[in-house]
Amino acid sequence: MQCPKSNMLSALLLTFFSLFALVSSYANPGACTGSCNVHDPAIIRRTSDGTYYRFSTGNRIQIATAADISGPWTIRGSALASGSSIALPGNTDLWAPDITKVGDVYYLYYSVSTFGSQNSAIGVATSTTMDVGTWTDRGSTGIRSSAGSAYNAIDGNLVLTTTGTYYMSFGSFWGDIHQVQMNNPPLTASGSVAQVAYNASGAHSLEGANIYYRSPYYYLFFSSGTCCGYDGTRPAKGNEYRINVCVSTTINGAYVDRNGVSCRSSGGTTVLASHDNIYGPGGQGVFADSKAGGAILYYHYVDTNIGYGDGQKRFGWNVIGWSGGWPVV
C-alpha cells in the first residue's frame, strides 16, 4: 500500500508530464526557403495561376511571391512605393497588411502609425492582379484614432459574414480589439465601433486580430504579449508574443475561450506559443488553402538559433488541426 505522500508525488509527476507534453506538442513551422525574413505577413493565392503572394510590414508593404507556401519566396518590391496618401506620421512606413479578394478586385489594408502612438489610421489599396506597380491607393477607410480614443486604429482584418456583410476587426493595447461593419465594396467603414476582446492584465497587450469562419463558428485569432525588441530586453517568460483564439456563433460575439471565459474579460485559448527554438510567434492570419492541406495558420517568429532582432523574424506556417472544434497546430 502506497503512503499518502507517494500518491501525492505520483499525482504531481503526472500533472507535470501532462503539462510538459502539452507545451511540447506544438508543431514546428513548415519549411520556408528563399526570402523568409518577414514581419506581420499576410498570405493569399492568386486565383488565376495559383501563385502565392505574401505582403508584410516594411518597404511600404513588401510583396513577395512563390509557387508554393514553403517557397522559394522572392521579393518583388513595394505595394505603395510612394507611401500612403493619409496625412499622418508614418505614412511612408506602413504596417500590418491584410489581403482579401472581393469579386475581381484584391483589397490590401494597411496601417499608418508610429510606434507607441495612438495617432493612427487604416488605409486601403486595390489591384486586379496584386503585382508590383498595379496598386491604387484609396486612402483612409475612415477607421482612425487619436490620443484619448477608445481604440488604436491599426492591424485591420476584413471578414465576409455568412449573411453577406463585411466587418473589419482592428486595434491594439488601447482598448485592444474592436470591430466595425464595412460598406460593400469594403473601402470605408459604415457602422459603429464595438469592442470584442480585452485583456485587463498587465499592459493590456492584444493586437493583430484575424477572424476565420469555420461552420458554425467565427474564430477570433489574436496576438497577446510583447511583440518586439527581444534583442534588447526580453519579457518575463510567458509574456512574449503568442497566438490565442476565442470563438462565437455570430460575427459580433460574444467571443469566449475554451473554458467559457469571455474574450472581453482576458479570455483566450493559446493556439501557438514559444517552444524549442521557436520564440514569440504572432502577427498571424488564417486562410483556407486546399493545395497546402486545409486551413493554414501563418505568422512570424524568432528562431533563437539565428537571433532575436526584429529584422531577423521568420515566416512560419502550419496546417491547422481541429480538436472538438478548436484549432490546434
Side-chain angles (χ1 to χ4, degrees):
M1 179 178 179
Q2 282 188 312
C3 71
K5 287 186 178 179
S6 294
N7 288 333
M8 185 180 295
L9 179 59
S10 297
L12 287 172
L13 286 172
L14 179 60
T15 301
F16 172 80
F17 285 116
S18 296
L19 289 172
F20 180 81
L22 178 64
V23 171
S24 301
S25 65
Y26 299 124
N28 284 331
C32 183
T33 60
S35 177
C36 294
N37 284 353
V38 71
H39 198 108
D40 300 329
I43 305 293
I44 196 171
R45 283 183 72 197
R46 187 161 63 185
T47 52
S48 61
D49 60 4
T51 300
Y52 288 83
Y53 277 71
R54 187 186 71 199
F55 301 85
S56 57
T57 291
N59 196 23
R60 296 177 176 88
I61 305 299
Q62 183 166 276
I63 301 175
T65 63
D68 189 271
I69 195 169
S70 63
W73 288 96
T74 301
I75 296 173
R76 300 301 182 184
S78 304
L80 297 174
S82 299
S84 171
S85 59
I86 298 172
L88 284 177
N91 64 358
T92 59
D93 179 25
L94 310 177
W95 298 350
D98 179 68
I99 182 71
T100 304
K101 189 179 185 186
V102 178
D104 295 325
V105 178
Y106 293 95
Y107 286 72
L108 176 67
Y109 299 94
Y110 60 85
S111 303
V112 175
S113 189
T114 55
F115 199 77
S117 171
Q118 206 178 355
N119 195 21
S120 313
I122 295 172
V124 60
T126 56
S127 169
T128 57
T129 67
M130 296 191 289
D131 291 326
V132 171
T134 67
W135 288 96
T136 299
D137 183 28
R138 304 290 186 176
S140 176
T141 60
I143 304 173
R144 300 182 69 138
S145 60
S146 57
S149 295
Y151 50 81
N152 190 26
I154 67 170
D155 293 359
N157 167 244
L158 187 75
V159 61
L160 176 63
T161 72
T162 56
T163 60
T165 55
Y166 290 100
Y167 277 82
M168 178 166 286
S169 57
F170 65 94
S172 71
F173 289 82
W174 289 274
D176 290 336
I177 309 301
H178 291 71
Q179 70 176 200
V180 64
Q181 189 172 339
M182 300 290 286
N183 288 307
N184 190 2
L187 291 168
T188 54
S190 64
S192 58
V193 174
Q195 186 188 67
V196 293
Y198 179 70
N199 178 15
S201 64
H204 316 297
S205 50
L206 303 183
E207 58 189 4
N210 185 278
I211 295 178
Y212 178 78
Y213 180 75
R214 179 179 184 267
S215 183
Y217 297 116
Y218 292 92
Y219 291 82
L220 172 63
F221 292 85
F222 56 92
S223 299
S224 180
T226 300
C227 72
C228 312
Y230 299 148
D231 54 340
T233 302
R234 283 188 285 282
K237 187 176 181 180
N239 289 337
E240 71 276 11
Y241 243 20
R242 60 191 178 279
I243 299 171
N244 288 352
V245 69
C246 286
V247 303
S248 172
T249 54
T250 64
I251 185 65
N252 306 116
Y255 288 88
V256 298
D257 68 14
R258 195 162 192 167
N259 295 320
V261 179
S262 170
C263 223
R264 293 185 64 192
S265 300
S266 306
T269 297
T270 299
V271 179
L272 185 63
S274 299
H275 63 283
D276 303 324
N277 62 308
I278 310 304
Y279 184 81
Q284 75 295 315
V286 178
F287 82 117
D289 183 16
S290 57
K291 179 179 178 181
I296 303 299
L297 175 69
Y298 58 83
Y299 50 91
H300 67 241
Y301 70 97
V302 161
D303 183 338
T304 59
N305 293 330
I306 296 174
Y308 288 87
D310 290 337
Q312 294 174 301
K313 288 179 178 174
R314 307 280 293 173
F315 173 60
W317 64 275
N318 295 93
V319 178
I320 295 176
W322 302 91
S323 175
W326 289 89
V328 294
V329 289

